[in-house]
Amino acid sequence: LLAQALNTLDDAVAGPLRAQGSDSARGPGGSGDASAEACDEPPTPLMWRDAAAAGGPHRLWIEIGQPDARRLAGAVAGSERVAVYAYAASAPLWWKRVRTELQALPQALARIEVWQFDANAIESWARAARAPADWQFFKFDALVQVSDAECSFEVGLTRLA
């Protein structure tokens, strides 16, 4: 939800985000099915912004969590830009390992942005979140404020790459 909110500001200029599970959600693997990776088909993004031209690479590929180097290499091959949003406290160690594995692809590293949400703040928000809620998101430099009519949270955001 936070990753989507942080990337919807570009909707008017770059087009809307698409997500797995939506009616039009078909990533480069075609089906939006995570099992496609087990069959050596191209990975499918969790969220993406469509290509500028039909058949071209996605403008934006969004990953959540800590994807492996193989998945990120596939994401770079299928998009102009990749944004990863990690939420675990171990994200800096994960990124150090994956970055080392991607060193052979310097053009890939130049197109990947890696962000880490503050793990404690995400846990607090998850415990208090109710669905459905009318969440509002405001980004101030390295801080995202998430609020609804009853509660408000501040989630730190650190750029790792």
Side-chain angles (χ1 to χ4, degrees):
L1 190 58
L2 279 172
Q4 184 176 7
L6 290 171
N7 286 282
T8 55
L9 299 176
D10 295 335
D11 282 359
V13 176
L17 284 175
R18 308 267 185 226
Q20 283 189 21
S22 66
D23 291 341
S24 61
R26 300 293 175 256
S31 68
D33 182 359
S35 66
E37 285 185 72
C39 300
D40 289 331
E41 291 183 25
T44 303
L46 180 66
M47 287 184 278
W48 68 93
R49 182 163 280 121
D50 284 337
H58 293 293
R59 290 184 177 175
L60 174 65
W61 180 305
I62 298 174
E63 287 291 322
I64 308 295
Q66 298 179 0
D68 62 24
R70 180 175 173 232
R71 182 161 177 85
L72 287 177
V76 169
S79 65
E80 296 170 6
R81 188 176 70 116
V82 177
V84 180
Y85 294 93
Y87 50 86
S90 62
L93 295 173
W94 157 81
W95 177 241
K96 182 178 181 182
R97 180 183 48 79
V98 170
R99 184 181 61 222
T100 300
E101 293 176 34
L102 291 173
Q103 289 297 326
L105 304 169
Q107 74 282 7
L109 290 174
R111 295 195 339 239
I112 298 174
E113 296 176 12
V114 180
W115 298 90
Q116 179 186 16
F117 291 118
D118 177 278
N120 293 329
I122 293 293
E123 271 188 39
S124 295
W125 181 36
R127 281 193 300 270
R130 299 166 324 282
D134 187 18
W135 294 106
Q136 295 182 4
F137 301 89
F138 300 97
K139 183 176 182 289
F140 306 99
D141 298 321
L143 189 68
V144 180
Q145 183 180 37
V146 182
S147 60
D148 71 358
E150 296 180 21
C151 61
S152 179
F153 294 91
E154 291 184 346
V155 179
L157 184 62
T158 302
R159 186 163 183 175
L160 301 178

